[in-house]
Amino acid sequence: MLRVGITGGIGSGKTALTDWLTTQGIVIVDADLAARIVVEPGQPALAEIAETFGEEFLLPDGQLNRAALRQRVFADESQRKALEAITHPCIRDELARQMSEATSPYVVLSSPLVLESGQSEMVDVSVVVDAPETVQVERTMARDQNDRQLVEQIMAVQLDRKARIARSDIVIDNSTSLDALHQRAAVLHETLLARAAAH
């Protein structure tokens, strides 16, 4: 099966694109959801996070305090790398499992890290959803009610826009309206169906 990676910086519109593809019957394997699954209570990664970072990063009900952990790791690169060393292998395994079960003409791996975490080895084609950085910041602040500083910190640890575009196979411009994105999504879908048929 053709495996397609869809990525983009925060606020670029990855989800808007994958939501449209879902309406066409394409299976979307979402790395953000997989990242949540691997840190649920009872999962080995959660126990290791508590051991490494401290029990104070667990909520009273045993769930991970994601907001507190996010603030801690984005302020300190060594802490972020320690967290990634725990979670990334578990996330990869979960993504591989979900992708292997897909039954659509092609399967999409939607992840902010397709191009920078070794996930590129899991896909045959990489698609970048692109928007100017000013647009990314405004969209993310509006969507997540985060302040500009946190959004810019998140963007600073993501692959920069030029590198992302240079490493991708297909770039989808999402600097304007949702309608325009949907038109580009339809063209992308036809392209991917053709590639899947020839794959």
Side-chain angles (χ1 to χ4, degrees), residues 7-9 80 84 88 111-120 154-155 157-160 164 167:
T7 192
R80 183 170 60 84
E84 288 172 355
H88 282 187
S111 170
L113 301 175
V114 167
L115 301 172
E116 62 246 63
S117 71
Q119 289 175 1
S120 57
I154 292 169
M155 286 172 65
V157 301
Q158 292 184 335
L159 200 61
D160 75 75
R164 201 181 289 124
R167 287 197 204 168

Side-chain angles (χ1 to χ4, degrees), residues 9-194:
I10 190 169
S12 60
K14 273 192 317 299
T15 305
L17 175 59
T18 56
D19 284 352
W20 187 90
L21 292 172
T22 301
T23 69
Q24 306 303 303
I26 299 302
V27 172
I28 309 295
V29 175
D30 187 325
D32 289 339
L33 293 180
R36 289 176 185 273
I37 290 169
V38 303
V39 294
E40 283 174 356
Q43 293 290 335
L46 183 63
E48 204 176 330
I49 288 168
E51 205 173 290
T52 305
F53 293 93
E55 298 281 337
E56 67 267 24
F57 289 99
L58 297 182
L59 295 167
D61 65 358
Q63 298 278 343
L64 180 63
N65 185 338
R66 299 174 72 86
L69 188 60
R70 185 183 296 131
Q71 283 191 316
R72 167 100 167 249
V73 301
F74 278 113
D76 181 341
E77 190 176 357
S78 65
Q79 300 273 303
R80 183 170 60 84
K81 285 191 163 32
L83 178 64
E84 288 172 355
I86 296 168
T87 58
H88 282 187
C90 301
I91 293 168
R92 260 183 93 103
D93 291 348
E94 179 62 24
L95 294 174
R97 185 189 67 74
Q98 290 187 30
M99 289 171 78
S100 72
E101 293 172 0
T103 54
S104 48
Y106 60 90
V107 61
V108 168
L109 166 58
S110 173
S111 170
L113 301 175
V114 167
L115 301 172
E116 62 246 63
S117 71
Q119 289 175 1
S120 57
E121 295 156 24
M122 302 176 73
V123 299
D124 306 302
V125 182
S126 58
V127 177
V128 163
V129 184
D130 180 59
E133 287 166 358
T134 50
V135 174
Q136 288 179 249
V137 171
E138 297 305 325
R139 281 181 185 156
T140 307
M141 285 169 62
R143 180 190 71 196
D144 299 342
Q145 310 299 309
N146 282 335
D147 64 23
R148 182 177 297 273
Q149 187 185 358
L150 180 62
V151 176
E152 287 174 350
Q153 279 179 327
I154 292 169
M155 286 172 65
V157 301
Q158 292 184 335
L159 200 61
D160 75 75
R161 189 179 173 199
K162 271 193 187 134
R164 201 181 289 124
I165 290 169
R167 287 197 204 168
S168 67
D169 299 310
I170 299 171
V171 178
I172 300 292
D173 170 37
N174 185 28
S175 55
T176 57
S177 69
L178 195 58
D179 281 346
L181 178 66
H182 288 168
Q183 286 167 12
R184 293 183 184 106
V187 174
L188 174 69
H189 180 53
E190 292 305 320
T191 302
L192 294 173
L193 286 175

